[in-house]
Amino acid sequence: MSTPIRRTSARPSTAVLTSARLREESRTGGPSARSTERAFLQLQSRVGNRAAAAAVQRARDTSGGKAGDSGGTPAASRKNYRDRIAGLLDRFKKNLEPIDTFVKGFQTPANAGFTQQATTAANEGLKHSAAASGTSAASGNLLTESVGTVVSGMDAYKNMKDARKHETGAGHHTARKKARTKGADTVVGAAGSGSYSAAVAKEVTKIQKAADAAVASEASGIASASVGAIKGMRSAFRVGGAARKYRQVKKLGDPHLVHAGSLARLNESREHANWAAAEAFVALDAYWNHEGQGRLELVSEAVDAAWEAMGEARDAAEHLRRAERDIERLSTVQGYAKKKQLAKIGKETVGGGGESTKAAAGVVTAVAAGTVGLASNPVGWGLAGAGAGLVLGVTLYKALRAATKRYEEVHHPERWAQEGGTPEEAASRGESLKHALKFWKKVSKGERQAMAREIYALAAGPEISGRTTAEMRESARALLIALKSGPAQHKLEPEAWAESLNDPARSAGWIKEIAEQLASG
């Protein structure tokens, strides 16, 4: 058990110190030249601490009442216990992310600016306040990064087990890809946690005016530069993957041009069937007007022939309409796949540029600390602010897009509802806005899931999409291969891979796999 903290009445409270400072300022004729900056930095620290406490309480309230006894085997109980822990940590992390965004985008660059100003003016009071605010900011970053690292590690372990369980197929590929991604997130998160720990140590040494403050500042700059470089390189690899996938999808060509010959053949078949039907009706008229022996038998045969010709003409017209519709669907999903990859390239380029700029700022900080002690400079401050601005811009864009999608999925459920299904009842505007603000929830019924269903409906076998033409099915499967969902990724032979597409029991896994591949590079 931890030792309880004993309160001492000899230590003055914050309120007493504040009132004393105000009395001193009124006695001397007004506040000091830097009191506004110090007050702003102290306000930042208090806001960050209160927001973190509120996030902890929200996560605790959410998880309350859900940790009852679980029945079943001990293994199932352990699994359920691990799932609850992972869910709690994930919710806690997502509650911390808005605070982390504020710290990285506003508080940290502002601290760098105040540190630069304090160093230039040799203002020890402002320098101390900036260091205190910096300690608060780095501590908040460290908490968010540490929780995220633990969550990523648990996700990586879970998906590794799922990949071993499935061995082959869409489930194996989805789990293996997530395991790799979450494993990389764990490594990067651990490095980021180390960097923020160094930042905390740097700010603490500034507060204490320790002799080794320059060394701590140099170490923090090197750690920040290393993590920024790692994140920048990872973004570059992601940009490369998205660009390759975009080129592969583009190579498939415009479906209207690729299937022009197929449409022409279907149209020709429809015209022949219409001519055959017209000729059958002409023959029926001729036999109907026939007055010779066996008239009724000839008329009966002519009616059967006309009926059969009408059926063939109707089927031919239906095949043509189906093919034209499938071509439009294929064109839509190919355009969506290219758009997703271009969007990923843009986000990763801007975000990676921000991380690289922050890495450059870390290098400048390390060099400044190693050459002139703790002296700051406007170059490091400018680079830190620019990098934070780029990363913040990408974060806000993602948050706004996610909120918009959450709003649409409940306010317009019919927009991306499954074909042939009954859409859910639309929520009111107020309820939709509340759902949009639930940043911890993922979109489960949006455009990407609808496009995944479209691709699967075109690529599935005759058991699932019997009326799709063979040419169209091959084009849709070529799109799957371009999206890195082919036989090689699933560790299957082409025949077994095609059979898995034709298995209704694997439809849900396939749709999930395609949705994941549309979003990744």
Side-chain angles (χ1 to χ4, degrees):
M1 296 178 62
S2 59
T3 305
I5 300 175
R6 300 177 180 176
R7 294 189 177 184
T8 57
S9 58
R11 183 176 180 178
S13 65
T14 303
V16 173
L17 292 175
T18 302
S19 60
R21 186 171 64 250
L22 291 175
R23 287 195 302 271
E24 176 65 20
E25 289 174 355
S26 61
R27 186 181 62 81
T28 57
S32 66
R34 303 301 179 193
S35 62
T36 303
E37 290 90 341
R38 285 198 294 271
F40 176 73
L41 292 168
Q42 291 167 359
L43 176 63
Q44 282 186 333
S45 299
R46 289 197 295 271
V47 169
N49 293 336
R50 290 174 182 173
V56 174
Q57 186 61 41
R58 283 199 302 270
R60 184 178 298 167
D61 293 342
T62 302
S63 62
K66 296 182 180 178
D69 296 335
S70 58
T73 63
S77 299
R78 288 194 299 270
K79 182 179 179 181
N80 192 18
Y81 184 66
R82 287 195 300 267
D83 290 343
R84 289 204 302 271
I85 293 176
L88 172 62
L89 289 175
D90 185 59
R91 179 66 179 271
F92 181 44
K93 169 181 167 289
K94 289 177 179 177
N95 279 321
L96 289 173
E97 283 175 352
I99 308 167
D100 191 64
T101 300
F102 165 78
V103 169
K104 290 178 179 177
F106 296 100
Q107 186 171 354
T108 299
N111 289 340
F114 285 127
T115 301
Q116 158 67 19
Q117 188 176 359
T119 302
T120 304
N123 188 324
E124 292 298 325
L126 181 59
K127 189 183 298 184
H128 184 276
S129 297
S133 180
T135 303
S136 172
S139 299
N141 293 144
L142 176 60
L143 176 61
T144 304
E145 196 76 30
S146 300
V147 174
T149 301
V150 175
V151 172
S152 297
M154 296 179 73
D155 285 344
Y157 176 73
K158 178 180 180 296
N159 282 285
M160 285 175 61
K161 291 182 64 177
D162 290 343
R164 287 195 296 267
K165 180 178 70 175
H166 291 291
E167 294 184 355
T168 59
H172 167 79
H173 182 235
T174 303
R176 185 164 61 92
K177 186 176 181 65
K178 279 190 174 181
R180 287 201 307 267
T181 301
K182 293 299 181 180
D185 289 343
T186 304
V187 174
V188 173
S193 298
S195 174
Y196 290 129
S197 299
V200 172
K202 176 189 71 173
E203 301 297 342
V204 169
T205 56
K206 287 182 181 180
I207 293 175
Q208 297 176 348
K209 299 181 180 181
D212 56 351
V215 176
S217 182
E218 184 176 5
S220 176
I222 293 173
S224 176
S226 301
V227 173
I230 292 172
K231 291 183 177 180
M233 289 175 60
R234 192 181 185 196
S235 294
F237 282 120
R238 287 176 171 175
V239 168
R244 286 191 295 272
K245 186 177 285 188
Y246 174 82
R247 288 194 298 268
Q248 291 298 320
V249 175
K250 191 175 181 180
K251 282 182 182 178
L252 299 177
D254 185 355
H256 296 91
L257 299 178
V258 172
H259 293 279
S262 175
L263 282 181
R265 289 192 297 272
L266 289 173
N267 187 54
E268 184 178 357
S269 298
R270 181 183 63 84
E271 291 178 352
H272 287 167
N274 287 338
W275 276 109
E279 291 174 354
F281 274 99
V282 170
L284 176 60
D285 288 339
Y287 290 132
W288 188 265
N289 296 326
H290 183 67
E291 297 294 341
Q293 188 178 4
R295 173 175 175 270
L296 292 178
E297 183 178 352
L298 292 174
V299 169
S300 177
E301 292 176 357
V303 169
D304 291 340
W307 184 262
E308 183 178 355
M310 285 179 59
E312 291 177 357
R314 185 171 56 251
D315 291 342
E318 177 62 26
H319 290 160
L320 179 60
R321 285 194 298 269
R322 175 79 181 190
E324 290 173 341
R325 182 189 174 198
D326 285 349
I327 287 175
E328 291 297 331
R329 295 167 69 189
L330 184 60
S331 177
T332 299
V333 295
Q334 282 188 196
Y336 178 80
K338 290 187 289 187
K339 182 185 72 173
K340 288 293 289 184
Q341 300 311 310
L342 289 176
K344 188 175 185 65
I345 290 172
K347 289 184 289 188
E348 291 295 339
T349 299
V350 176
E355 295 294 346
S356 299
T357 305
K358 289 168 65 177
V363 172
V364 172
T365 300
V367 171
T371 55
V372 291
L374 294 179
S376 180
N377 60 82
V379 176
W381 174 30
L383 288 173
L390 290 173
V391 175
L392 177 64
V394 174
T395 303
L396 293 178
Y397 170 79
K398 290 181 178 179
L400 181 60
R401 286 283 296 168
T404 303
K405 292 177 181 178
R406 284 192 296 269
Y407 179 87
E408 288 183 350
E409 75 172 338
V410 295
H411 195 59
H412 299 289
E414 76 286 349
R415 183 170 296 174
W416 307 117
Q418 188 171 358
E419 184 178 0
T422 303
E424 298 179 0
E425 185 178 354
S428 65
R429 186 182 298 273
E431 292 174 347
S432 301
L433 287 173
K434 289 180 181 179
H435 184 73
L437 295 176
K438 295 179 180 178
F439 52 85
W440 57 88
K441 287 192 174 183
K442 293 183 178 180
V443 179
S444 59
K445 299 173 184 177
E447 184 180 13
R448 180 158 56 94
Q449 289 75 19
M451 292 298 160
R453 291 195 299 268
E454 289 287 318
I455 295 174
Y456 178 71
L458 292 170
E463 292 291 332
I464 297 170
S465 57
R467 292 191 294 174
T468 301
T469 63
E471 294 88 348
M472 192 65 58
R473 187 174 291 119
E474 288 301 318
S475 292
R477 291 180 179 182
L479 176 59
L480 287 181
I481 295 174
L483 292 174
K484 299 181 182 178
S485 291
Q489 288 81 18
H490 291 184
K491 294 185 177 181
L492 292 171
E493 294 296 326
E495 295 78 8
W497 179 74
E499 289 177 2
S500 70
L501 281 165
N502 198 31
D503 185 358
R506 303 184 187 181
S507 296
W510 261 111
I511 293 172
K512 181 180 178 182
E513 157 82 351
I514 297 170
E516 291 288 341
Q517 292 305 112
L518 284 170
S520 66

